[in-house]
Amino acid sequence: MQDLIKKIERWAIDRELDKTAEEMAELIIGISKDNIEGIKDSIGDVFVTLVIGNMIDEKLDIEKYYKYAKEDLNRRDIEDDKRAKIFGLAQDMMEVIRDEYYYDTLFHTLVDLVEIAEIHNLKFTDCVESAYDEIKDRKGKTIDGCF
C-alpha cells in the first residue's frame, strides 16, 4: 500500500489534482444503484483523491490511518446497510469540503471505504490498484479547473 500511496502522490503533484467530493458523489451513486464495477472504481478514485488532498493539506500518515481503519473494522461487525453507508459518505464528503483533510476526516472516510469494499466482496487494495493503473499513464494537467 505504501508504494501505491507514493505513486499516487507523485502522479498528483505532476497534475495538480484534488477532487474528493466529486469522487465520493460517484461512489454514493454506485452504491445506490448496486453497481459493483462503479463501486470498485469509485472506492479507488476516492482513495486516490484522499492521498492527494492529504499530501496538499495535512501530510498525515495515510498508511497508518489505513491500518487503523482495518483494525477498527476487525473489532466490530460490518453493517450491510446501504442507507447508512450513503449517509456516512455524505457526512464524510461534507467534512472534506468544510474542514479538508484532518485526522478524523481521513480516518472515517477510510473506514467507510474499507467497509464498503468488504460489504461488496471487494479487496480494498484491488480497488486502489485498479484506480492507479487507470491514471498512471495520464499526462494532462489542470488548467483553470479543467483537467
Side-chain angles (χ1 to χ4, degrees), residues 13 16 25 30 39 45 59-60 63 75-76 91 94 98 115 127 134 139-140:
I13 287 169
E16 303 168 8
I39 293 168
D45 291 348
K59 298 179 180 32
L60 299 171
E63 171 91 13
R75 286 191 295 268
R76 62 186 173 88
Q91 283 185 304
M94 293 308 298
R98 183 186 63 233
E115 186 171 2
C127 297
E134 188 175 314
K139 304 293 183 205

Side-chain angles (χ1 to χ4, degrees), residues 1-14:
M1 183 60 86
Q2 187 173 15
D3 185 49
L4 282 171
I5 291 168
K6 293 294 180 201
K7 288 178 182 178
I8 291 166
E9 288 175 348
R10 177 79 263 148
W11 183 86
I13 287 169
D14 294 342

Side-chain angles (χ1 to χ4, degrees), residues 27-87:
L27 178 54
I28 290 169
I29 292 167
I31 293 168
S32 68
K33 293 183 177 183
D34 291 321
N35 177 343
I36 296 299
E37 279 305 308
I39 293 168
K40 179 181 179 182
D41 183 57
S42 293
I43 288 171
D45 291 348
V46 170
F47 185 78
V48 166
T49 64
L50 287 175
V51 169
I52 295 165
N54 177 62
M55 174 187 63
I56 294 166
D57 289 340
E58 294 293 329
K59 298 179 180 32
L60 299 171
D61 186 347
I62 202 165
E63 171 91 13
K64 180 171 75 174
Y65 299 134
Y66 167 71
K67 289 177 183 175
Y68 289 165
K70 294 275 295 175
E71 290 170 8
D72 185 65
L73 288 177
N74 290 334
R75 286 191 295 268
R76 62 186 173 88
D77 292 330
I78 295 176
E79 299 173 22
D80 189 4
D81 182 348
K82 186 182 348 182
R83 288 178 304 205
K85 290 293 103 200
I86 289 172
F87 181 72

Side-chain angles (χ1 to χ4, degrees), residues 89-141:
L89 281 171
Q91 283 185 304
D92 293 340
M93 184 171 24
M94 293 308 298
E95 288 179 15
V96 167
I97 292 167
R98 183 186 63 233
D99 301 324
E100 298 178 347
Y101 300 89
Y102 66 96
Y103 167 78
D104 286 343
T105 303
L106 193 57
F107 177 74
H108 292 294
T109 303
L110 283 172
V111 169
D112 284 344
L113 292 177
V114 172
E115 186 171 2
I116 290 164
E118 292 198 17
I119 287 170
H120 294 90
N121 297 313
L122 298 166
K123 290 179 70 176
F124 183 77
T125 53
D126 289 348
C127 297
V128 175
E129 182 100 36
S130 177
Y132 177 72
D133 287 345
E134 188 175 314
I135 64 171
K136 68 182 179 186
D137 296 323
R138 293 181 185 169
K139 304 293 183 205
K141 291 191 180 219

